[in-house]
Amino acid sequence: MNLEGKRIVVTGGFGFLGRVVVRALAAAGGSVVAIGRSPAPDDTHAQVAAARIGGIDLSDPVAAADAMDRAAQALGGGIDALINIAGAFRWETVQTGNLDTWDLMYRVNVRTAVAASQAALPRLLASGDGRIVNIGAAGALKAAAGMGAYAASKAGVAKLTEALAEELKDKGVTVNALLPSIIDTPANRADMPDAEFVRWVKPEQLAGAIAFLLSEPARAITGALIPVMGRV
């Protein structure tokens, strides 16, 4: 995919998937700013980014707005695409779980995507060809035991995607979501050491799908919830 000249913001940009996405979009020609909750890393993986903005709680709309202002400044004044990766996972059953987990999953998975999108929208609208790509989860379509809170929050991301796509479809901004099954990350391998990792979705594959959704051929795609299942 040729993303030359695209000004791109990636939330959750310091995590394993975020770093892969930042590298892939930069390699395709995009100028990329990574935003994260933790302090900004200073390593070879992160150095392909035009800027790294750390210490940001994207569930706080004031912090999200400040981060997008700083990102736009680093990108020369505008934003063409927003990739909402920021989020978290918790496994616990409804019977023995804590109701606070439901609030946490909503805050880190849904609220961050809403706040980041709201903060970026003025510049995405000004772009004339704005793109938002949300990272949902296949669990939003069919939840397994222990995934109630997580799946419910990712279902919220799916409905955010659909509603915002309808809101923006005549305003030059597309909104889509990828719904991966299990992503092949070191954390997931540690949690499921006996699994067949080869069946999982590679982060590079997700990054490629994101790059496509930012490309010219994908301009007509909006409101799509795209399962990315690997062989799970």
Side-chain angles (χ1 to χ4, degrees):
M1 294 299 116
N2 181 7
L3 302 180
E4 196 69 38
K6 292 284 187 183
R7 300 163 296 181
I8 306 164
V9 176
V10 177
T11 76
F14 306 155
F16 191 82
L17 175 60
R19 291 183 182 213
V20 171
V21 170
V22 167
R23 291 198 302 271
L25 299 183
S31 296
V32 188
V33 169
I35 297 175
R37 179 70 183 263
S38 62
D42 185 14
D43 55 31
T44 55
H45 290 301
Q47 286 170 1
V48 298
R52 301 175 296 282
I53 302 173
I56 302 297
D57 178 2
L58 285 170
S59 69
D60 177 353
V62 174
D66 176 67
M68 293 302 162
D69 286 344
R70 292 164 61 187
Q73 183 176 14
L75 293 169
I79 298 173
D80 300 307
L82 170 66
I83 317 302
N84 282 314
I85 297 176
F89 174 81
R90 295 290 185 277
W91 189 100
E92 63 180 38
T93 64
V94 176
Q95 181 179 4
T96 62
N98 191 324
L99 194 58
D100 289 343
T101 301
W102 291 71
D103 295 332
L104 173 66
M105 290 292 92
Y106 175 85
R107 180 168 56 84
V108 298
N109 290 332
V110 185
R111 187 179 170 97
T112 57
V114 176
S117 297
Q118 286 180 330
L121 265 174
R123 293 181 175 91
L124 292 171
L125 289 164
S127 165
D129 185 24
R131 312 289 175 99
I132 297 175
V133 179
N134 298 319
I135 300 300
L141 304 177
K142 175 63 175 177
M147 293 181 62
Y150 174 76
S153 70
K154 288 300 190 178
V157 172
K159 294 309 166 184
L160 163 66
T161 300
E162 292 176 336
L164 190 54
E166 284 296 305
E167 185 177 327
L168 299 175
K169 66 182 180 182
D170 294 322
K171 298 181 179 179
V173 178
T174 68
V175 189
N176 296 290
L178 299 177
L179 311 184
S181 56
I182 304 173
I183 304 173
D184 189 2
T185 66
N188 283 338
R189 288 192 177 206
D191 287 341
M192 294 173 275
D194 297 326
E196 294 182 69
F197 307 141
V198 69
R199 304 182 72 88
W200 294 355
V201 177
K202 303 299 181 187
E204 293 79 7
Q205 294 169 332
L206 271 181
I210 291 169
F212 169 71
L213 289 172
L214 301 190
S215 71
E216 178 61 27
R219 177 177 278 195
I221 302 173
T222 194
L225 306 177
I226 304 171
V228 185
M229 300 299 295
R231 292 190 290 123
V232 175

